[in-house]
Amino acid sequence: MNTTKFAAKFTEKSGILELMDDLGKAMKNANPNTCMLGGGNPAHIPEVQQLFQNEMQEIIADQKRFNSMIGNYTTPQGDLEVIQAFVKYLQKLSGWKISTNNVIILNSSQLGFFMLFNLLAGDTIDNKQNKILFPIVPEYIGYADQGLSDFFISEKPLIEKLGEHHFKYHINFEMLKVDQDIKALCVSRPTNPTGNVISDEDVVKLQKLAKNNGSYLIIDNAYGAPFPNILFKETEMLWEENMIHSFSLSKIGLPGTRTSFLVASEEIIQKLSSINAILSLASNNIGPELIKNLLIKNDLNTLSKELITPFYQKKSRKALSYFEKYMDHNLPYYVHESEGALFLWLWLENFPINTYELYERLKKRGVIVVPGKYFFPGYKSPWQHKDECIRLTYSQDDAKVEQGIRIIAEEVGKGYGE
Ligand code: PLP
């Protein structure tokens, strides 16, 4: 068969495919001993699940709402009533000067990023190559293969060691080159995989840098404010005309509804609506309908701040304590500051075997993590650090997280001994 460029690009072995495969298999074969620290599945928090179940029951009991939820296509921009509720919610919360023309509902932020990246970057009709810049890597694995052409570039961070076994990445503004080809800068905040939260000052700096260059700053709030708010420090929510914000319902506990909201200039929203019409006709109604009343009553904030934030903060602290307990403190290991998201990012300085090999060894022992090398989209220069890190999720059952970290500590110890 003659392979198309599309098939070559989207069916080759990619980090995200391997990750989803491992996650799917581990969930399916449900070996009770497997420690699934690989994926990004949010935890099932009983109070949160209950709340969504109640909302769903209310919808089902209301014939009109139910019929329109399952029986109607919306416009490609999404259900106007929900968009209105979302706009009011953001205006009230953060004073953003936006209207319903600045918002689109999409079938997941993953799909939203595919549309957005390929809208802004790639081969232009006058034969130029527009680019997307990740001002700091490690960055989200799921961006890496989304470009229809090779248009991602990125800059490596500054590393600040903190205490004996902790560290934090910072954007290296001195090295950032933002030129005419760069149409957008993009950061996830908090960052998947590291749990880093770019400071408010750095967001402003990036926004100005982008503005002076006539480009956009994209903020991926999949774990951030105002929902799910898996954030362990206070942040500001900044809005300017050259910014694009993505918000997802997944990490509040609704990944199965595949719903996201994107806030951008009217021009971008119109273009995304056209693309959405071609790719999906319309977006789904289930996620938006489920949260409509929560938006109106401002309960989404209460839910995030009172249930979701403390749940994950407690889990993060526990996972960090397992590292303290099991790792050999004489080894040069460093855990990234856990400022948000569902992950811990472990850096093994000068590790004699690479962390892909460590991942394979851990898999044999029933512990699924993600090797670090996938989290450097657009960074093509050699850098040993890429092979010295792993990401692990702490959102699952505490006993499993503890068992997983104990086994990681054993394998890391063996690796350093080689
Ligand atoms: N962005 C980040 C940083 C993520 O970690 C994820 C999923 O894990 C996504 C976007 C995609 O989320 P979804 O497509 O479920 O909205």
Side-chain angles (χ1 to χ4, degrees):
M1 190 175 99
N2 282 338
T3 308
T4 63
K5 281 188 183 167
F6 181 87
K9 166 114 198 82
F10 286 95
T11 60
E12 71 193 10
K13 200 174 170 198
S14 64
I16 192 81
L17 182 64
E18 189 168 354
L19 169 66
M20 293 314 281
D21 224 34
D22 270 352
L23 173 68
K25 280 186 199 139
M27 295 302 229
K28 219 178 189 163
N29 73 23
N31 177 344
N33 292 323
T34 302
C35 299
M36 185 58 219
L37 312 185
N41 213 81
H44 295 180
I45 306 173
E47 296 93 324
V48 177
Q49 305 271 109
Q50 186 62 54
L51 195 138
F52 290 131
Q53 195 171 351
N54 295 348
E55 287 297 316
M56 186 59 102
Q57 269 155 356
E58 270 187 34
I59 296 169
I60 291 171
D62 182 332
Q63 195 70 52
K64 199 162 157 251
R65 275 181 85 188
F66 181 71
N67 285 353
S68 103
M69 179 179 81
I70 63 156
N72 292 343
Y73 286 121
T74 63
T75 68
Q77 192 191 342
D79 183 326
L80 191 59
E81 224 183 292
V82 180
I83 291 180
Q84 273 163 348
F86 190 69
V87 167
K88 277 200 189 135
Y89 165 76
L90 284 182
Q91 283 170 339
K92 205 164 133 202
L93 192 75
S94 319
W96 286 12
K97 293 191 175 57
I98 52 167
S99 76
T100 50
N101 295 333
N102 296 108
V103 177
I104 185 169
I105 298 175
L106 293 166
N107 288 324
S108 81
S109 58
Q110 189 68 18
L111 184 65
F113 280 105
F114 175 77
M115 293 177 181
L116 192 59
F117 288 149
N118 290 291
L119 169 68
L120 297 173
D123 303 326
T124 68
I125 43 182
D126 51 356
N127 294 322
K128 294 201 177 106
Q129 254 276 322
N130 288 349
K131 308 256 185 225
I132 302 284
L133 169 69
F134 299 116
I136 181 167
V137 278
E139 240 321 338
Y140 173 45
I141 191 172
Y143 300 145
D145 297 293
Q146 287 211 318
L148 288 173
S149 58
D150 184 16
F151 54 61
F152 291 123
I153 51 174
S154 57
E155 193 47 69
K156 70 178 185 187
L158 295 170
I159 294 179
E160 181 191 8
K161 284 186 179 168
L162 299 159
E164 267 189 60
H165 292 295
H166 291 268
F167 79 112
K168 182 173 161 70
Y169 294 121
H170 296 277
I171 298 175
N172 190 347
F173 280 98
E174 279 187 13
M175 291 300 290
L176 274 195
K177 284 188 205 72
V178 183
D179 60 28
Q180 291 304 307
D181 295 342
I182 292 171
K183 297 302 163 192
L185 286 73
C186 175
V187 287
S188 57
R189 186 178 193 240
T191 305
N192 173 0
T194 55
N196 200 2
V197 175
I198 308 290
S199 69
D200 294 335
E201 297 75 47
D202 282 0
V203 172
V204 173
K205 269 197 201 170
L206 290 176
Q207 182 268 328
K208 293 207 167 117
L209 209 60
K211 190 171 177 195
N212 293 340
N213 192 55
S215 31
Y216 291 97
L217 171 62
I218 304 170
I219 309 266
D220 180 352
N221 302 289
Y223 303 89
F227 59 85
N229 207 56
I230 309 176
L231 261 174
F232 313 142
K233 62 188 232 188
E234 287 295 315
T235 57
E236 295 274 333
M237 286 176 63
L238 180 73
W239 163 250
E240 294 287 342
E241 265 292 305
N242 73 320
M243 291 185 78
I244 301 174
H245 279 272
S246 171
F247 303 95
S248 168
L249 294 193
S250 295
K251 313 301 174 184
I252 57 169
L254 297 173
T257 68
R258 312 308 298 128
T259 309
S260 71
F261 292 80
L262 200 136
V263 179
S265 67
E266 292 190 14
E267 190 193 350
I268 293 281
I269 296 300
Q270 274 167 16
K271 288 182 174 156
L272 288 175
S273 299
S274 306
I275 301 172
N276 201 32
I278 293 170
L279 293 188
S280 304
L281 290 187
S283 296
N284 98 79
N285 293 331
I286 297 170
E289 192 59 34
L290 257 179
I291 62 143
K292 187 165 73 186
N293 282 342
L294 300 178
L295 283 173
I296 294 169
K297 292 187 280 179
N298 214 24
D299 282 354
L300 211 50
N301 267 22
T302 324
L303 167 93
S304 300
K305 290 216 156 159
E306 290 180 10
L307 294 175
I308 298 178
T309 317
F311 176 88
Y312 285 104
Q313 184 147 31
K314 208 164 137 202
K315 285 191 100 54
S316 155
R317 286 194 187 128
K318 272 197 185 156
L320 288 168
S321 75
Y322 302 144
F323 272 102
E324 283 276 319
K325 182 168 167 191
Y326 293 110
M327 290 292 278
D328 176 348
H329 289 233
N330 295 317
L331 298 176
Y333 78 89
Y334 301 90
V335 185
H336 195 282
E337 286 293 274
S338 175
E339 299 175 329
L342 319 175
F343 314 102
L344 291 185
W345 178 254
L346 175 65
W347 169 34
L348 304 168
E349 193 176 25
N350 297 323
F351 197 45
I353 57 165
N354 69 48
T355 48
Y356 192 84
E357 173 60 24
L358 177 66
Y359 153 77
E360 292 285 0
R361 292 182 189 185
L362 288 169
K363 198 155 77 169
K364 283 199 190 110
R365 295 195 61 190
V367 181
I368 314 285
V369 298
V370 190
K373 65 173 184 167
Y374 295 120
F375 295 92
F376 296 82
Y379 195 79
K380 293 176 188 110
S381 313
W383 186 27
Q384 192 182 329
H385 188 83
K386 291 199 263 189
D387 288 310
E388 293 183 342
C389 301
I390 58 166
R391 186 194 80 175
L392 54 114
T393 311
Y394 59 74
S395 64
Q396 304 301 312
D397 177 59
D398 287 340
K400 282 274 175 285
V401 175
E402 177 164 13
Q403 185 186 339
I405 292 175
R406 182 177 51 75
I407 295 172
I408 290 170
E410 281 170 23
E411 290 299 327
V412 166
K414 279 189 211 159
Y416 271 116
E418 287 177 25

